[in-house]
Amino acid sequence: MQWRNRIVSLFMMLSSTLAAPSFADVVKLNFLEWGYLPIGYEARFQAYAKARGVNVELSSVTPYITDFDSIYGALRTQKADVVMPANFFLKAHHSPLIKLLLPIDNSRLANFQQLRPIFQQTQYDKEGEQHYAIAHSYALFSLAFDQDQFSQPPTSWSQLNNADNTGQFRVYCDQFEPVLISSMLALGESPALFENGQIIKDHALQERVQNTLTMRLKTAQGFWGNQENNCADLRQQSLATTWGLELVKCNQENNQRWKIAVAEEGPIYSLDTLAIGKHLVDQPDKLRAAYLLIDFLISQDQQALVLQGVPTVQGVNRLLNREFTAEEQAVLPDKALPEFDERLLIPPLSANIKNRYKRMMINALEASDTQNLSKECNWDIH
């Protein structure tokens, strides 16, 4: 009888082993991001997942994100499982990107309740009753200036059209939207006119924005992209447009004193999010790993690491208690940065409006004779 019990026990153990995936089974997860996440995050995530019973091999998809098409193409071909779209990518072109994403189940995110309340109920990612992304971090597109070359900080986007500043800055060219919005703000117009297409409905306004845009391109020294200004370029400049990612580093490398200027016309925000490819719906192991990755990236510890050295970038975890170093504090404006407001995010655009804006950019490049210089840019305006 004893030997029969042993055989039954052995059979049950074998059946259990065959039915459940072995911890040694590796889940391969592909992640497409912008390239600014801190060095070593992949290994830290793999350890985080392993402590929760999932053996993940995380691969960063390259090239990194530059525009809407880079994310859309990676999802459509299932090259990426988890992506990091900017807020205005989600509903652009009548929401084709959302159609490639899974609705987010907040109950699968242990750290969701740590998000600031404003990021728990968002509209930029909502279709019907479903949400398709989780907020990660946001940045202010802003003016910056070298304090050693200005007695007073610039206070307006119109400084970029001032002939006295010719050759003293470069134009951002990963996406055209911030450039066009800031050109419109320089005229004192409401940012709402960009989203509703009023710029192209009002011929006189369109001409004014077109002229402002052309003059900025003529005044600029060239272009910058890949999310950061090059420190070598900043040595030759007194003004910059920036997301603030490089200022602390470049101040140290160049022995300069770059500082953010708050434009009186108001802020321009972009928010990066985390989303899951729809093709994971029938891959439960990958889906679990995807939720773990998002949970990891919005955790207090990882958010703190992302924000080191970039005081103008803000996290979404409410438990963050940021204490700036002297070098970080030095690049911040004298008055507090504006509070986040979802209404001030770069908005999504319909295909018709976006194509008209692209035409404005092309016309400005031609009129300023900078189209050859702009070939180094990542933006898709053709």
Side-chain angles (χ1 to χ4, degrees):
M1 191 64 156
Q2 190 174 13
W3 65 268
R4 290 181 65 185
N5 290 340
R6 287 180 179 175
I7 291 175
V8 170
S9 297
L10 184 61
F11 178 79
M12 290 178 67
M13 289 175 60
L14 181 60
S15 298
S16 176
T17 301
L18 291 173
S22 167
F23 182 77
D25 290 344
V26 177
V27 178
K28 296 186 177 182
L29 194 68
N30 297 319
F31 179 36
L32 178 60
E33 41 109 355
W34 290 92
Y36 62 72
L37 294 179
I39 293 172
Y41 82 90
E42 298 97 335
R44 288 193 297 275
F45 166 65
Q46 286 166 186
Y48 176 92
K50 198 165 190 176
R52 288 154 179 80
V54 181
N55 195 6
V56 183
E57 181 183 305
L58 183 66
S59 298
S60 291
V61 177
T62 54
Y64 294 126
I65 300 167
T66 55
D67 56 12
F68 172 90
D69 287 337
S70 58
I71 288 189
Y72 183 78
L75 284 171
R76 188 174 54 80
T77 58
Q78 300 184 14
K79 184 180 179 182
D81 303 312
V82 181
V83 293
M84 206 172 189
N87 65 280
F88 58 101
F89 290 177
L90 291 161
K91 294 184 181 178
H93 310 296
H94 305 295
S95 306
L97 187 61
I98 281 181
K99 293 178 176 63
L100 297 177
L101 299 175
L102 277 179
I104 295 291
D105 180 357
N106 297 333
S107 69
R108 301 187 67 168
L109 296 169
N111 294 322
F112 181 77
Q113 295 306 320
Q114 292 184 11
L115 298 185
R116 288 164 53 187
I118 195 170
F119 296 115
Q120 293 186 25
Q121 293 294 328
T122 51
Q123 297 301 314
Y124 59 81
D125 65 320
K126 189 175 182 182
E127 286 272 302
E129 295 303 312
Q130 305 281 8
H131 290 268
Y132 288 83
I134 293 291
H136 175 263
S137 58
Y138 63 94
L140 180 71
F141 185 73
S142 57
L143 284 169
F145 66 105
D146 182 357
Q147 296 176 85
D148 291 332
Q149 301 185 64
F150 281 84
S151 57
Q152 295 293 326
T155 59
S156 171
W157 289 107
S158 63
Q159 288 277 58
L160 301 181
N161 290 72
N162 188 328
D164 292 341
N165 294 320
T166 299
Q168 292 302 306
F169 67 94
R170 290 172 177 264
V171 173
Y172 174 64
C173 64
D174 283 340
Q175 293 88 37
F176 73 86
E177 287 90 343
V179 183
L180 195 53
I181 294 173
S182 57
S183 296
M184 185 193 69
L185 292 178
L187 297 171
E189 299 291 346
S190 166
L193 301 183
F194 179 80
E195 182 174 6
N196 64 22
Q198 188 61 37
I199 297 176
I200 52 180
K201 296 174 185 175
D202 182 332
H203 179 74
L205 175 59
Q206 179 177 351
E207 187 172 0
R208 290 172 64 219
V209 175
Q210 184 82 64
N211 291 339
T212 300
L213 187 59
T214 301
M215 182 56 67
R216 180 182 299 188
L217 294 173
K218 284 182 177 179
T219 306
Q221 186 183 107
F223 297 90
W224 68 275
N226 296 317
Q227 312 310 319
E228 295 185 16
N229 285 280
N230 184 289
C231 291
D233 290 338
L234 288 186
R235 289 193 193 100
Q236 313 302 321
Q237 299 175 204
S238 61
L239 276 173
T241 57
T242 182
W243 293 110
L245 299 174
E246 72 291 300
L247 296 184
V248 171
K249 176 181 67 176
C250 292
N251 277 348
Q252 293 170 341
E253 288 186 16
N254 296 349
N255 194 28
Q256 289 181 286
R257 295 201 303 144
W258 285 98
K259 191 179 185 73
I260 292 292
V262 178
E264 61 190 10
E265 298 92 354
I268 302 170
Y269 283 119
S270 180
L271 184 144
D272 286 341
T273 71
L274 297 157
I276 299 172
K278 191 175 183 177
H279 60 277
L280 266 58
V281 66
D282 296 321
Q283 302 181 63
D285 292 342
K286 269 196 172 188
L287 186 56
R288 184 183 178 199
Y291 273 106
L292 280 175
L293 177 59
I294 292 176
D295 223 21
F296 169 79
L297 291 171
I298 63 174
S299 68
Q300 181 183 2
D301 290 347
Q302 294 309 307
Q303 291 260 295
L305 287 174
V306 166
L307 303 179
Q308 284 182 356
V310 286
T312 59
V313 179
Q314 307 297 318
V316 296
N317 191 303
R318 62 179 172 79
L319 301 182
L320 285 170
N321 183 22
R322 299 188 74 179
E323 294 184 5
F324 297 118
T325 65
E327 293 78 13
E328 291 171 340
Q329 188 66 52
V331 307
L332 291 172
D334 294 332
K335 58 181 180 179
L337 289 171
E339 282 294 315
F340 177 80
D341 186 334
E342 187 171 337
R343 294 171 298 180
L344 298 176
L345 286 170
I346 296 172
L349 299 171
S350 68
N352 177 54
I353 291 176
K354 189 162 187 171
N355 287 336
R356 294 284 297 276
Y357 287 161
K358 287 181 178 181
R359 173 48 56 186
M360 289 181 66
M361 285 299 310
I362 292 169
N363 289 343
L365 289 167
E366 291 175 351
S368 61
D369 198 24
T370 56
Q371 60 267 49
N372 284 331
L373 273 177
S374 73
K375 288 179 180 177
E376 67 191 56
C377 294
N378 291 319
W379 56 22
D380 175 19
I381 57 173
H382 296 285

